[in-house]
Amino acid sequence: MESASVALGHEHEQHGPPPANRSSRVDAQLLGMLLFIISEVMLFGAFFSAYFFIRVVAGNDWPAAGTALPIAVAGCNTAVLVSSSLTMHWALVSAKNGNRFGMRAGLLTTFLLGATFLAVQINEYVHLGFAIGDSAQATIFYGLTGLHGAHVTVGLLLLSMATIRAFRGHFSPTEHRGVEVPGIYWHFVDVMWIIVYTTLYVL
Amino acid sequence: MTVAARLRAPGWYRAMLSVPLGIGFAFALVVPLRALSHYKPVVDGDAITTVALISTPLAFLIGIGCFDYWFRWASGAPTVPEDHSGHGARSWRDYFRVNTDHKVIGIQYIVTTFVFFIAGGIMAMLMRAELAAPGEQFVDSNTFNGLFSVHASLMIFLFIIPVFAGIANYVLPLMIGAPDMAFPRLNALSFWMLPMAGILMLASFFAPGGAFNTGWTSYAPLSVDMPLGQTFFNVAVQFAGASSVATALNFLVTIVTMRAPGMTFWRMPLLVWANFTTSLLVVIATPFIAGSQFMVLLDRALHTDFFNAANGGDVIMYQHVFWFYSHPAVYIMMLPGFGIISEVISTNARKPIFGYRMMAFSLMAIVILGFTVWAHHMFVSGMFPWLRVPMMITTMLIAVPTGIKIFSWLATLWRGVIHLRTPMLFALGFITMFTLGGISGVMLAVIPVDIHVSDTYFVVAHIHYVLFGGSVFTIFAGIYHWFPKMTGRMYDETLGKVHFWLSFVFFNLTFGPMHLVGIDGMPRRVADYAQHFAFWNAFISVSSFFFGMSLLVFLYNIVTSWRHGPKAVANPWRAHTLEWQVSSPPPIFNFDEVPTVVGGPYEYGVPGAVHGVFKEKPAVKEPAVAAD
């Protein structure tokens, strides 16, 4: 995380090059994360293009004949992930207000909810009854959910860093970007899941 | 230092230890998994290599020390305060370390990319040797296919795209009055991912079955069925792509948040505008090639059905996804060059850029239109027929903003006081050659013409006119232009001019005749050809060898000038932009005081006009946020 040296500003002197002129009110770390998310959206876009070609252009059945997708279970899982966005927001608001308990509890809950989502998803993979190479529909199903799962994993990694640091006494009402930036990423992962869920399971 | 301490500290010792660990990780992951899944054979070379191709470069990056700071940060441990030993370069050894100084990284980029440029050039020479006469001369057709594939991939992913990132890395923060890039550690990581990609591509020659040989486009399903070398390409593109996205993100954040006081968007030099627009393209488009190569990789490694039509896959989809990146990629390879040319022409013609705002707007127009033309690469692919005509129209439209730029440069030259220094010669050479390449580009946009010359040498001629006569000439112009700033020494003007004229003449003698044999129907990407084409191919091959040798003049000039050239003054070209207002090479953090920008960057000939002034920094109310 690039917010590193800034987040630790209160622990030791500023190091690295001297401060530059700030030519924008936008924070560098936030802008960096937003641009990264744009590029992530496009990566999903590539896989959604594949989905479009396989389902619409090639005209394959959806889901593949003889298979079914657990819409209800995945729907509950969606609720789990959406609620984790709410707890993430709670953590950030707490951090901004100097509520250390709220920040720690919020981060930890978010992490646990995210881990639950991932565990349910893996359990679903085990019981789906079709494998990634069985058909193009299976391929893009696993491709999109797997790509999303990889993003959840990265999000959990970022959250675990923020959580560890929160429990080791970092972050303050003035310096909370270490919570905010992973939080933005986590919201992105969440919104992306809603799109993935809608296109793969519901439609 | 003891050996144990060296192995713990970031650097080459730890990196060399990490490489076998990375390979070992691939064994430890693949073999038990295959044993548990009852796959035969348990020890499968292809599967282990596929994982090792990803894990080994990552292990190297960890070993060399790209992630040390972040690991400490992530675990909540106190980060090591930088004592600035990681900043700046005191000897050549510092260029072989993870360095966070944008000036060091810029030079690391440029030198590394030129190494791959030379490697790709040698492959081109081998190809021309093979093509000097009909029949088989030196290499068999499989090796030939590998040569042109690796040649193109190196030139595109390891030379043209990153060398622009290197030049911009050096001069862009200076131009906007910033002490460094916004994310210096990410910048270092971006650089170090690059040699990983290049080494993977070169290493594919040692893979069983030879180097990847499906061209740089690596069309599925052909690439799915190819031997192991193809995997090297799939993974290498991921590293190069990640490197270029990270750099682009860095440029965008730097330009938005770190401009000097008074440096509004409409006072930015056009090189900064060019890199701003290019970076937008990179951030938006590059994930699509990553996606396409992930899909090929999955089809190869896990036998998925993205491109398996028998199971419902769609092979045309590869080309759509691939070209949705790779057409914008040609602008990624050209827009930074436009920026360099604007700097060089304005400075050497001693005139303000004609139509400065239109120059910036046309860059933005190219970014937007660039996303609407991808399928003109697919006129003969069997895609939706209704998509052809819209793509033809947008392709012709994109010639308009490009034309605006060409005419603006010509208008800038009009009645200028023209100094024909080497960078200016390359800039003028660029304008003529790129216009020719642009015209053949418009020809190729016309569907019937495209169908006639598809996969012929006409396409080879076109791409080399825009990428060599276009991009590489701008690269040479940029290198000569900023050589005094980067090295603190002057290059040899006579040798520079010799280099220009040799490359200009032999470039045309090499690629000009390719138009003729192309229209005649000589297919590209084939090691052998009909007797009918023998004369022109012999002619092209001989020209190409002289063309290749012209690079030796450049290398000799650069190496000797860097070592023994006369010392450069701060502003040898009397340019106005900020990078010339500091010493050559610039001080370690670029500016002892942040300059204030008071005017446009190209007010040449305007009495008393200045771009930036140095005065006491105005008091800042809120504490300025760290620039790293």
Side-chain angles (χ1 to χ4, degrees):
Chain A
M1 293 302 301
E2 280 292 338
S3 49
S5 64
V6 185
L8 282 178
H10 60 281
E11 285 178 12
H12 54 74
E13 288 301 303
Q14 163 65 37
H15 49 73
N21 177 53
R22 279 194 73 179
S23 54
S24 167
R25 273 169 298 175
V26 182
D27 182 74
Q29 273 90 28
L30 286 184
L31 183 60
M33 182 47 97
L34 288 176
L35 289 167
F36 180 61
I37 286 173
I38 290 175
S39 127
E40 292 276 56
V41 167
M42 294 306 286
L43 181 60
F44 274 93
F47 278 79
F48 275 114
S49 309
Y51 164 83
F52 174 78
F53 274 91
I54 287 168
R55 183 166 173 182
V56 181
V57 178
N60 293 304
D61 297 335
W62 189 271
T67 63
L69 299 173
I71 298 176
V73 178
C76 295
N77 216 11
T78 310
V80 170
L81 200 61
V82 170
S83 59
S84 78
S85 251
L86 299 177
T87 56
M88 185 69 228
H89 188 66
W90 176 42
L92 179 61
V93 171
S94 306
K96 281 181 176 167
N97 293 336
N99 173 1
R100 301 204 64 81
F101 168 78
M103 176 179 71
R104 289 173 184 171
L107 281 169
L108 196 61
T109 321
T110 313
F111 181 86
L112 292 175
L113 285 170
T116 311
F117 172 86
L118 207 56
V120 174
Q121 193 68 26
I122 291 167
N123 184 55
E124 184 184 308
Y125 280 4
V126 174
H127 294 103
L128 266 176
F130 57 86
I132 190 166
D134 284 3
S135 65
Q137 294 95 313
T139 295
I140 193 59
F141 172 81
Y142 279 103
L144 268 168
T145 54
L147 182 68
H148 181 265
H151 282 77
V152 174
T153 312
V154 171
L156 286 177
L157 207 64
L158 297 180
L159 280 178
S160 67
M161 294 173 190
T163 314
I164 290 171
R165 289 173 62 79
F167 275 88
R168 294 184 84 168
H170 296 256
F171 308 131
S172 67
T174 50
E175 189 46 74
H176 47 261
R177 272 176 295 186
V179 181
E180 196 171 3
V181 174
I184 295 173
Y185 188 78
W186 190 252
H187 295 316
F188 152 71
V189 169
D190 197 355
V191 171
M192 197 44 91
W193 171 252
I194 295 174
I195 300 170
V196 170
Y197 175 71
T198 314
T199 46
L200 288 187
Y201 292 81
V202 180
L203 288 179
Chain B
M1 269 204 287
T2 65
V3 175
R6 276 190 168 146
L7 288 176
R8 275 198 303 275
W12 283 92
Y13 286 92
R14 203 175 73 180
M16 288 300 118
L17 179 70
S18 307
V19 168
L21 289 177
I23 298 169
F25 172 83
F27 263 97
L29 186 74
V30 172
V31 174
L33 271 180
R34 288 183 74 90
L36 283 173
S37 317
H38 306 291
Y39 287 166
K40 295 282 180 255
V42 170
V43 181
D44 179 54
D46 279 16
I48 293 170
T49 314
T50 304
V51 177
L53 286 176
I54 302 164
S55 63
T56 314
L58 282 177
F60 176 88
L61 292 173
I62 294 170
I64 197 94
C66 287
F67 296 98
D68 277 35
Y69 185 95
W70 291 320
F71 283 152
R72 295 188 131 268
W73 184 88
S75 62
T79 47
V80 182
E82 273 178 48
D83 53 358
H84 302 312
S85 62
H87 227 85
R90 278 152 209 86
S91 75
W92 60 271
R93 282 191 184 81
D94 287 336
Y95 288 98
F96 290 85
R97 283 215 293 255
V98 177
N99 201 308
T100 53
D101 185 341
H102 76 96
K103 298 187 286 301
V104 175
I105 293 173
I107 287 174
Q108 285 177 324
Y109 255 109
I110 294 169
V111 173
T112 309
T113 50
F114 265 91
V115 169
F116 290 114
F117 179 49
I118 293 163
I122 290 169
M123 286 170 205
M125 297 293 102
L126 290 173
M127 277 187 277
R128 278 327 310 181
E130 170 57 37
L131 290 171
E136 190 175 295
Q137 286 19 269
F138 304 99
V139 294
D140 59 28
S141 56
N142 190 44
T143 316
F144 183 85
N145 293 353
L147 282 175
F148 75 68
S149 302
V150 182
H151 162 78
S153 307
L154 284 181
M155 290 307 194
I156 289 168
F157 296 114
L158 270 303
F159 178 58
I160 295 183
I161 294 177
V163 77
F164 280 130
I167 294 174
N169 230 309
Y170 198 102
V171 298
L172 190 143
L174 284 160
M175 276 187 160
I176 62 170
D180 204 324
M181 297 276 279
F183 305 124
R185 281 180 286 273
L186 186 65
N187 202 11
L189 176 64
S190 308
F191 164 70
W192 282 97
M193 281 195 279
L194 204 64
M196 303 296 107
I199 290 166
L200 285 183
M201 284 184 185
L202 286 175
S204 73
F205 278 104
F206 302 102
F212 57 94
N213 51 16
T214 52
W216 79 279
T217 51
S218 154
Y219 276 3
L222 179 64
S223 52
V224 175
D225 302 326
M226 279 291 152
L228 189 59
Q230 187 67 44
T231 309
F232 285 68
F233 174 81
N234 300 140
V235 177
V237 168
Q238 305 293 2
F239 278 99
S243 158
S244 112
V245 171
T247 311
L249 186 153
N250 221 334
F251 281 143
L252 287 171
V253 176
T254 309
I255 294 168
V256 171
T257 65
M258 291 172 71
R259 281 166 289 128
M263 176 72 87
T264 61
F265 266 70
W266 294 119
R267 281 178 182 167
M268 292 195 311
L270 284 169
L271 182 92
V272 181
W273 264 109
N275 277 284
F276 183 78
T277 48
T278 308
S279 300
L280 281 176
L281 277 173
V282 171
V283 166
I284 298 170
T286 309
F288 263 70
I289 196 172
S292 70
Q293 299 313 313
F294 275 132
M295 291 174 205
V296 173
L297 199 58
L298 287 171
D299 267 16
R300 291 173 58 82
L302 301 181
H303 307 292
T304 55
D305 297 319
F306 283 108
F307 308 115
N308 181 359
N311 268 354
D314 191 329
V315 291
I316 301 284
M317 182 266 286
Y318 177 86
Q319 298 184 30
H320 279 292
V321 174
F322 177 84
W323 286 114
F324 195 75
Y325 161 75
S326 295
H327 195 79
V330 309
Y331 302 109
I332 294 170
M333 291 183 260
M334 199 60 258
L335 296 191
F338 288 167
I340 291 173
I341 293 307
S342 297
E343 302 296 325
V344 170
I345 285 192
S346 180
T347 307
N348 286 299
R350 312 304 305 165
K351 267 192 66 193
I353 279 284
F354 181 87
Y356 168 87
R357 287 204 179 201
M358 281 314 287
M359 292 294 255
F361 280 130
S362 59
L363 288 167
M364 291 304 291
I366 291 174
V367 169
I368 295 161
L369 283 174
F371 283 107
T372 64
V373 299
W374 78 93
H376 69 209
H377 294 274
M378 300 165 59
F379 284 155
V380 297
S381 69
M383 64 162 183
F384 321 112
W386 57 264
L387 197 52
R388 283 179 172 179
V389 172
M391 287 292 161
M392 175 174 90
I393 292 168
T394 50
T395 306
M396 290 178 158
L397 270 182
I398 208 164
V400 174
T402 318
I404 290 175
K405 304 197 78 71
I406 300 279
F407 284 113
S408 292
W409 287 318
L410 293 179
T412 307
L413 291 170
W414 177 255
R415 292 192 171 171
V417 184
I418 293 174
H419 297 259
L420 280 180
R421 303 181 187 108
T422 311
M424 187 61 162
L425 286 174
F426 272 104
L428 298 176
F430 156 81
I431 292 180
T432 50
M433 294 302 99
F434 185 74
T435 305
L436 291 180
I439 289 170
S440 59
V442 176
M443 287 172 74
L444 284 166
V446 182
I447 298 164
V449 178
D450 182 82
I451 290 172
H452 176 66
V453 296
S454 225
D455 266 326
T456 66
Y457 265 77
F458 191 83
V459 178
V460 179
H462 164 70
I463 194 149
H464 285 92
Y465 265 83
V466 286
L467 283 189
F468 206 109
S471 305
V472 182
F473 275 16
T474 70
I475 291 164
F476 283 134
I479 301 271
Y480 282 115
H481 186 66
W482 282 294
F483 185 81
K485 186 51 63 184
M486 291 179 182
T487 62
R489 290 178 186 274
M490 299 301 289
Y491 61 86
D492 187 309
E493 194 65 61
T494 314
L495 283 176
K497 284 179 177 152
V498 170
H499 170 222
F500 169 74
W501 284 111
L502 283 178
S503 46
F504 185 78
V505 169
F506 287 107
F507 165 78
N508 279 298
L509 294 181
T510 303
F511 295 108
M514 286 187 188
H515 290 109
L516 304 177
V517 291
I519 288 182
D520 240 5
M522 178 173 163
R524 65 172 177 161
R525 295 179 166 173
V526 181
D528 191 9
Y529 51 85
Q531 194 63 42
H532 170 59
F533 303 114
F535 168 73
W536 277 119
N537 271 284
F539 182 87
I540 292 168
S541 287
V542 172
S543 311
S544 76
F545 298 141
F546 285 104
F547 183 38
M549 277 189 269
S550 72
L551 188 70
L552 297 178
V553 180
F554 170 76
L555 294 175
Y556 174 81
N557 190 359
I558 292 302
V559 171
T560 53
S561 304
W562 201 338
R563 297 187 64 187
H564 310 297
K567 290 257 190 268
V569 294
N571 192 358
W573 316 133
R574 296 185 294 121
H576 286 188
T577 43
L578 293 177
E579 82 272 26
W580 299 105
Q581 314 310 320
V582 291
S583 62
S584 299
I588 185 158
F589 289 127
N590 298 351
F591 300 98
D592 297 329
E593 51 176 321
V594 177
T596 303
V597 176
V598 294
Y602 305 117
E603 303 296 315
Y604 298 108
V606 180
V610 277
H611 177 49
V613 291
F614 291 85
K615 60 181 179 195
E616 273 312 306
K617 208 171 113 190
V620 185
K621 285 197 192 79
E622 53 179 337
V625 164
D628 66 345

